[in-house]
Amino acid sequence: MSKNLTELPFTEIVERASELSRERAEVEKKIRGIVNDVYTREIPRKEDWTFLVVTSALTTTQEYKTGTVSVNTGATQAVFSTDATLTADMTGRKLKVQNNDYVYDVTYESGTSVTIQPPFSGTQNQTNVSYSIFDPDYPLAADFDRFLKDKGLTKYQGGRKQEIPEKSPQEFDVDYTPTTAIYPSRCRLIGTDTNGRTLVEINPPPSSAVSLQYDYYRRPNPLRETTAGFVNIGAGATAVTGSTGTTRFSEARTGDYIRIDALGTGADSEWYRVQTIAHDSSITLSSAFGLSGVTSAAYTICSLPDYPVKLHPAILYGTLIQLTLDQNDPASQGYYTKFAEVLSDGKRLYKTRVYSQQINTVAEDYNYRR
């Protein structure tokens, strides 16, 4: 660890991994990539960590069914009565027409017409019949990774919290219904929208606008650093001034850490937490700087892993495993052991389910062997 922190900021992890693995300085980009792979993918997938669980909510869209619709067999246009008022945000929703078994994708054309896909099926034209335009698909939080085990969305009925479980595609299709209801009874994940956010489909589709909560495992954002320009800091001060036009403090975030590189790197780093960021050349520290100030000094601002501090070493050891395996270094086994030890200790504190060394399988149930 550094001179003054038990935490391991991103840059310190990279530098220590480089030193311990005896990698060349010019492969630092490779090490940064491996650190972020371990941080954002490997460790989050190892266990169901409590510190990655967050809660969010989505609001469903009320179905639209004003007036009537007419559509001919084989046609791709549906025409609505004049009392209907369609809007452009109906593109992407679904259309269910009375007396027709199919559900159609909707693309907005005008206030009284839409394009449908697939073409209208069946053997009968439908004229001035009732219909429903509904939205079954909703984007989840931008950092959504996966639902909690055996969970999905949540609804409140009678003052009680009830699960809307996530189903496999096969189970979802077996129970699918196009008939709308206030609350869904099942959901499934169906890919991403144009912004890269995970989509969830709910069924039965919503008839009203209701709020549905959900707990999920978040996807950690990659760790980052900035070193552009030079800084000035007075002795015992908290104000940091950057060189105008070159420092890019706005690339940092509140809670990141800064050090002066000349005062130590790697395990000799001395880090200070960034409390506020005024603009690209002015930040404030949460604690006073050292006994002597610096002028036109090279610096590093980097992010801190959004894990409990006890798991920070796992990022370092996980990185070292990959670096030393790449070199056929026998030290990789030792780093693997340390990596496993840190994760094992973490499981006792930060798993969402009770951790024990007892293993149970379905095969132990006597009914399984009958």
Side-chain angles (χ1 to χ4, degrees):
M1 66 184 67
S2 65
K3 295 177 183 177
N4 60 333
L5 293 179
T6 57
E7 295 88 346
L8 290 177
F10 176 42
T11 303
E12 183 175 333
I13 295 174
V14 172
E15 292 170 345
R16 291 177 62 180
S18 177
E19 181 179 358
L20 290 169
S21 63
R22 298 182 293 278
E23 285 279 11
R24 304 181 310 278
E26 59 265 29
V27 301
E28 190 172 285
K29 290 181 181 178
K30 165 187 169 182
I31 299 175
R32 284 200 294 266
I34 293 175
V35 170
N36 268 321
D37 284 343
V38 173
Y39 172 66
T40 63
R41 294 184 179 90
E42 185 170 359
I43 293 176
R45 291 289 182 172
K46 289 289 186 186
E47 305 292 341
D48 292 336
W49 302 111
T50 54
F51 57 83
L52 292 179
V53 177
V54 292
T55 299
S56 188
L58 61 85
T59 300
T60 61
T61 303
Q62 183 174 348
E63 68 174 327
Y64 189 81
K65 54 183 181 180
T66 300
T68 60
V69 66
S70 300
V71 57
N72 296 328
T73 298
T76 57
Q77 185 186 58
V79 179
F80 297 79
S81 56
T82 55
D83 52 344
T85 304
L86 308 183
T87 57
D89 60 3
M90 290 180 178
T91 293
R93 299 186 193 177
K94 307 288 185 182
L95 170 66
K96 177 67 174 67
V97 178
Q98 182 185 11
N99 302 325
N100 188 272
D101 291 332
Y102 291 80
V103 176
Y104 302 92
D105 295 327
V106 169
T107 300
Y108 172 80
E109 277 189 0
S110 70
T112 56
S113 67
V114 298
T115 299
I116 61 172
Q117 285 294 332
F120 198 67
S121 302
T123 59
Q124 291 184 336
N125 299 336
Q126 299 298 330
T127 303
N128 296 328
V129 297
S130 61
Y131 70 94
S132 173
I133 293 178
F134 57 82
D135 190 358
D137 305 333
Y138 298 89
L140 299 173
D143 61 349
F144 177 90
D145 184 60
R146 64 192 189 277
F147 285 125
L148 274 60
K149 185 176 177 64
D150 300 326
K151 303 289 185 180
L153 302 173
T154 301
K155 60 185 177 184
Y156 284 89
Q157 285 187 302
R160 300 183 62 183
K161 194 174 182 179
Q162 299 181 12
E163 294 294 333
I164 304 170
E166 179 188 4
K167 297 291 186 179
S168 68
Q170 296 86 348
E171 291 179 297
F172 190 89
D173 289 344
V174 166
D175 296 325
Y176 180 85
T177 175
T179 304
T180 59
I182 296 177
Y183 292 107
S185 57
R186 66 194 70 85
C187 67
R188 67 167 178 171
L189 301 180
I190 55 168
T192 58
D193 64 8
T194 55
N195 294 318
R197 298 174 66 176
T198 301
L199 288 171
V200 62
E201 180 180 2
I202 60 177
N203 190 258
S207 61
S208 304
V210 296
S211 179
L212 302 175
Q213 285 189 346
Y214 57 97
D215 297 324
Y216 67 98
Y217 295 105
R218 61 181 174 84
R219 182 176 60 251
N221 291 319
L223 300 168
R224 64 201 179 279
E225 67 179 17
T226 182
T227 59
F230 301 94
V231 297
N232 304 313
I233 314 175
T238 57
V240 181
T241 303
S243 48
T244 303
T246 54
T247 51
R248 298 195 295 268
F249 293 162
S250 59
E251 292 180 353
R253 300 287 185 275
T254 301
D256 286 355
Y257 281 76
I258 184 173
R259 75 174 184 201
I260 301 304
D261 296 340
L263 301 181
T265 60
D268 288 332
S269 300
E270 187 169 332
W271 296 99
Y272 295 87
R273 187 177 184 275
V274 176
Q275 180 170 302
T276 59
I277 302 172
H279 47 73
D280 268 341
S281 56
S282 176
I283 61 174
T284 303
L285 307 180
S286 60
S287 59
F289 192 65
L291 297 177
S292 60
V294 295
T295 302
S296 297
Y299 71 99
T300 298
I301 296 179
C302 69
S303 51
L304 190 73
D306 193 10
Y307 288 178
V309 65
K310 292 181 182 295
L311 283 175
H312 287 190
I315 307 170
L316 173 61
Y317 295 132
T319 301
L320 286 167
I321 291 170
Q322 295 192 36
L323 290 174
T324 53
L325 281 174
D326 190 42
Q327 302 169 359
N328 293 319
D329 188 335
S332 62
Q333 184 57 48
Y335 292 131
Y336 182 84
T337 300
K338 296 298 293 182
F339 180 67
E341 286 178 357
V342 175
L343 291 185
S344 180
D345 289 342
K347 286 191 291 185
R348 293 178 174 87
L349 296 173
Y350 307 119
K351 278 194 65 170
T352 56
R353 293 188 296 278
V354 176
Y355 169 73
S356 73
Q357 296 182 345
Q358 182 179 356
I359 298 176
N360 296 303
T361 72
V362 68
E364 295 178 16
D365 186 348
Y366 78 95
N367 285 314
Y368 181 79
R369 297 187 293 272
R370 292 182 62 183

